[in-house]
Amino acid sequence: VAITQAEKKRIKTLYSKKGRKSAGQFAAEGIRLLEESLRSKYLPIIVYCADSELSDRGHQLVRDFKTMGVSVINLSSRDLSAITETESSQGLLGLFEIPDSKLENLTAKNGMILLLDNISDPGNVGTLFRSALAFGFEAVIMANESVDPYNSKVVRSSAGAVFGLPIISATGNEIFRFKKNNEFKLIVADIGGNDLCASITNIRKYVRLILALGSEAAGISASVASMADLKVRINHSKKVDSLNVAVAGSIIMKELYR
Amino acid sequence: VAITQAEKKRIKTLYSKKGRKSAGQFAAEGIRLLEESLRSKYLPIIVYCADSELSDRGHQLVRDFKTMGVSVINLSSRDLSAITETESSQGLLGLFEIPDSKLENLTAKNGMILLLDNISDPGNVGTLFRSALAFGFEAVIMANESVDPYNSKVVRSSAGAVFGLPIISATGNEIFRFKKNNEFKLIVADIGGNDLCASITNIRKYVRLILALGSEAAGISASVASMADLKVRINHSKKVDSLNVAVAGSIIMKELYR
């Protein structure tokens, strides 16, 4: 048999946070996500495919994985659909190791880091990963009760950016030490802050910066707010109270992109 | 009885596109959305509430609706939960009329209009409504196969912006006539366009403009692309192929906000 019942059962546990934590793995399906893993050289441990469902692009991707030394197991459509989560696997599922990243080991010491503080919506978090990679951010720190970055909805919304960025969970104390030891400035997106456009010349002088975004409902946590060197807001009409957090974060990151 | 079985059944049909179309109504639940309806003076036809579940803010909102002449029906928690869609109704559900908006009647003739062309993700569409209202856009046109703007996930993602903006479905021909008769310029977000920052001085000269966004997968439709006066792209790292459409649209709208 190409896949045992026990392995099927094990893969399905990867669709819960607890299962991912216990296995140290996550799953990603579909051509686009797996292409992005290849582009970022974040290779899967193993790829399951259903030959009969693969498009030409899918076949090419499977050949590329094999060339890179990745094990590819061909399954029946039925077996594959038993281990995929959505209807749109396009005949492909990859299993990936969750990196054991520690903030103290982060070498992105001359750039920009995104800090997500207590952001729970997987679509927003994935979108922020995508924008962070697009706008030259080098890593993402997840603090407090932010959603698991390897949640499959985060991975999908990231359009594969999850493979291209170090994503590091950290406590307030760890962030404090990292910021101090490496001389990062911390900017908080805050509705009561200074206008972004008026602040941009100053911000551009920061050699190393962390951009912190808090939850739409609760704002930034006290522990992160206490480290802020600058608070910025995006000017907008009074007809809305606030912007979506992924939009606000992306607008600020776009302004900082250099 | 405060609510009949027939009325419960009718309300539940509003959670499908077909049901909304047939009734000419949509539902919105929770304090925040209903507060936004009040702020925009887009009043519900009727409000159902469960007194026992209302917070102080919810009670105040109910009083405000009554003052405005809105019928408010008090239900048991059980009856209310039978007609709400999520766990987070906070004891409140409002029914609203879907406006019969026609592009030819749109009076926003001196401003900016957002055009969504074939955008199907409800979260992205709702987020774009929210950003459009935030950045001074006066109306939204929905073209081709875009998602129903009164889909409950769109309404939630809009954070109530759906109440503050005229939202108008239109065909390519209607858009063409409207654009011509009212001398609008049409800008398309396109990965092959001119750099947004380099184009902004020119764009600011446009008295009336339509910003068109297409689907991430298929891009802008041929009928809309053929009307473009200008195509713009947002400069970003080559590490990603493209930005999320709600992010890209919001970044452009923010640049145009005046």
Side-chain angles (χ1 to χ4, degrees), chain B residues 188-196 199 230-235:
Chain B
V188 171
D190 187 296
I191 214 147
N194 302 322
D195 178 51
L196 172 64
S199 313
L230 182 67
K231 293 181 179 179
V232 295
R233 72 177 157 76
I234 296 161
N235 200 18

Side-chain angles (χ1 to χ4, degrees), chain A residues 36 39 127 130-131 133-135 197 216 235-237 239-244 247 250-251 254-255 257, chain B residues 36 39 127 130-131 133-135 197 216 235-237 239-244 247 250 254-255 257:
Chain A
E36 290 302 312
R39 163 148 106 173
T127 300
R130 185 175 177 182
S131 293
L133 190 60
F135 295 128
C197 295
E216 288 185 36
N235 200 18
H236 61 73
S237 156
K239 288 183 179 173
V240 304
D241 287 328
S242 65
L243 299 168
N244 168 282
V247 164
S250 299
I251 286 175
K254 193 260 175 194
E255 288 293 322
Y257 179 49
Chain B
E36 290 302 311
R39 165 148 105 174
T127 300
R130 184 175 177 183
S131 293
L133 191 60
F135 295 127
C197 295
E216 288 185 36
N235 200 18
H236 62 71
S237 157
K239 288 184 180 174
V240 304
D241 287 329
S242 65
L243 298 167
N244 168 281
V247 164
S250 299
K254 193 260 173 192
E255 288 295 321
Y257 179 50

Side-chain angles (χ1 to χ4, degrees), chain B residues 22-244:
Chain B
S22 149
Q25 295 181 7
F26 69 102
E29 61 196 60
I31 288 175
R32 186 171 182 188
L33 287 179
L34 293 188
E35 280 180 349
E36 290 302 311
S37 80
L38 195 63
R39 165 148 105 174
S40 296
K41 301 199 170 56
Y42 188 136
L43 294 181
I45 305 160
I46 191 166
V47 169
Y48 292 101
C49 70
D51 259 356
S52 59
E53 291 181 34
L54 292 178
S55 63
D56 289 350
R57 196 171 145 195
H59 279 295
Q60 181 57 49
L61 186 54
V62 162
R63 281 193 295 271
D64 292 343
F65 278 127
K66 284 178 177 167
T67 306
M68 302 291 287
V70 175
S71 304
V72 178
I73 312 275
N74 191 28
L75 300 181
S76 66
S77 284
R78 200 174 147 187
D79 275 344
L80 188 74
S81 74
I83 57 171
T84 54
E85 199 188 29
T86 71
E87 300 294 303
S88 50
S89 75
Q90 301 168 299
L92 279 167
L93 176 80
L95 303 189
F96 296 85
E97 206 164 312
I98 295 176
D100 183 24
S101 310
K102 288 203 174 14
L103 191 53
E104 60 192 30
N105 300 330
L106 183 65
T107 53
K109 287 181 181 168
N110 284 295
M112 301 187 287
I113 295 174
L114 180 65
L115 168 57
L116 304 186
D117 179 23
N118 203 3
I119 300 189
S120 56
D121 181 82
N124 284 337
V125 169
T127 300
L128 283 164
F129 289 173
R130 184 175 177 183
S131 293
L133 191 60
F135 295 127
F137 277 61
E138 293 184 44
V140 181
I141 302 172
M142 308 289 286
N144 295 311
E145 298 302 309
S146 288
V147 67
D148 176 6
Y150 301 102
N151 169 311
S152 54
K153 185 151 196 298
V154 174
V155 174
R156 275 198 303 279
S157 300
S158 83
V162 78
F163 299 115
L165 280 168
I167 297 165
I168 304 161
S169 291
T171 65
N173 280 338
E174 288 168 334
I175 296 166
F176 182 83
R177 275 198 305 276
F178 175 82
K179 174 184 183 306
K180 198 175 162 197
N181 292 343
N182 300 288
E183 297 179 339
F184 272 76
K185 297 283 189 183
L186 192 133
I187 303 171
V188 171
D190 187 296
I191 214 147
N194 302 322
D195 178 51
L196 172 64
C197 295
S199 313
I200 201 73
T201 317
N202 265 331
I203 298 175
R204 292 232 170 90
K205 291 177 192 153
Y206 295 169
V207 180
R208 291 174 287 276
L209 67 86
I210 299 170
L211 171 64
L213 306 174
S215 88
E216 288 185 36
I220 206 87
S221 68
S223 65
V224 173
S226 69
M227 296 182 229
D229 295 290
L230 182 67
K231 293 181 179 179
V232 295
R233 72 177 157 76
I234 296 161
N235 200 18
H236 62 71
S237 157
K238 288 189 173 54
K239 288 184 180 174
V240 304
D241 287 329
S242 65
L243 298 167
N244 168 281

Side-chain angles (χ1 to χ4, degrees), chain A:
Chain A
V1 291
I3 185 167
T4 62
Q5 286 305 115
E7 180 62 2
K8 280 189 195 171
K9 207 169 157 185
R10 193 191 73 85
I11 292 170
K12 281 194 238 173
T13 67
L14 302 182
Y15 300 119
S16 78
K17 184 174 176 176
K18 197 177 148 196
R20 285 189 294 274
K21 198 173 171 186
S22 149
Q25 295 182 7
F26 69 101
E29 61 197 59
I31 289 174
R32 185 172 182 189
L33 287 179
L34 294 189
E35 281 180 348
E36 290 302 312
S37 79
L38 195 61
R39 163 148 106 173
S40 297
K41 301 201 170 56
Y42 188 136
L43 295 180
I45 305 160
I46 192 166
V47 169
Y48 292 100
C49 71
D51 259 357
S52 59
E53 290 180 34
L54 292 178
S55 63
D56 289 349
R57 197 171 145 194
H59 279 294
Q60 181 58 50
L61 186 54
V62 162
R63 279 192 296 273
D64 292 343
F65 277 129
K66 283 179 177 165
T67 305
M68 301 291 286
V70 175
S71 306
V72 179
I73 312 275
N74 191 29
L75 301 180
S76 66
S77 284
R78 199 173 150 191
D79 275 344
L80 188 74
S81 75
I83 55 170
T84 54
E85 198 187 31
T86 72
E87 300 295 301
S88 50
S89 74
Q90 301 168 300
L92 279 168
L93 176 79
L95 304 188
F96 296 85
E97 204 165 313
I98 296 177
D100 182 25
S101 309
K102 289 203 173 16
L103 191 52
E104 58 191 29
N105 300 329
L106 182 65
T107 53
K109 287 181 180 168
N110 283 295
M112 301 187 288
I113 296 173
L114 180 65
L115 168 57
L116 304 186
D117 180 23
N118 204 2
I119 301 187
S120 55
D121 182 81
N124 284 338
V125 169
T127 300
L128 283 164
F129 288 174
R130 185 175 177 182
S131 293
L133 190 60
F135 295 128
F137 276 61
E138 293 182 45
V140 181
I141 301 172
M142 310 289 286
N144 294 311
E145 298 302 308
S146 289
V147 67
D148 177 6
Y150 301 101
N151 170 310
S152 55
K153 186 152 196 299
V154 174
V155 173
R156 276 198 302 280
S157 300
S158 84
V162 77
F163 298 115
L165 280 168
I167 298 165
I168 304 161
S169 292
T171 64
N173 280 338
E174 287 168 336
I175 296 165
F176 182 82
R177 275 198 305 275
F178 175 82
K179 174 184 184 306
K180 199 176 162 199
N181 293 341
N182 300 288
E183 296 179 340
F184 272 76
K185 296 283 189 183
L186 192 135
I187 303 169
V188 170
D190 187 297
I191 215 149
N194 301 322
D195 178 50
L196 172 65
C197 295
S199 313
I200 200 74
T201 315
N202 265 330
I203 298 175
R204 292 231 170 92
K205 290 178 194 154
Y206 295 171
V207 180
R208 290 174 287 275
L209 66 85
I210 299 170
L211 171 64
L213 307 173
S215 89
E216 288 185 36
I220 206 88
S221 67
S223 65
V224 173
S226 69
M227 296 182 230
D229 295 290
L230 183 68
K231 292 181 179 182
V232 295
R233 72 175 158 75
I234 297 162
N235 200 18
H236 61 73
S237 156
K238 287 190 174 50
K239 288 183 179 173
V240 304
D241 287 328
S242 65
L243 299 168
N244 168 282
V245 66
V247 164
S250 299
I251 286 175
I252 300 173
M253 289 192 278
K254 193 260 175 194
E255 288 293 322
L256 298 179
Y257 179 49
R258 45 202 174 188

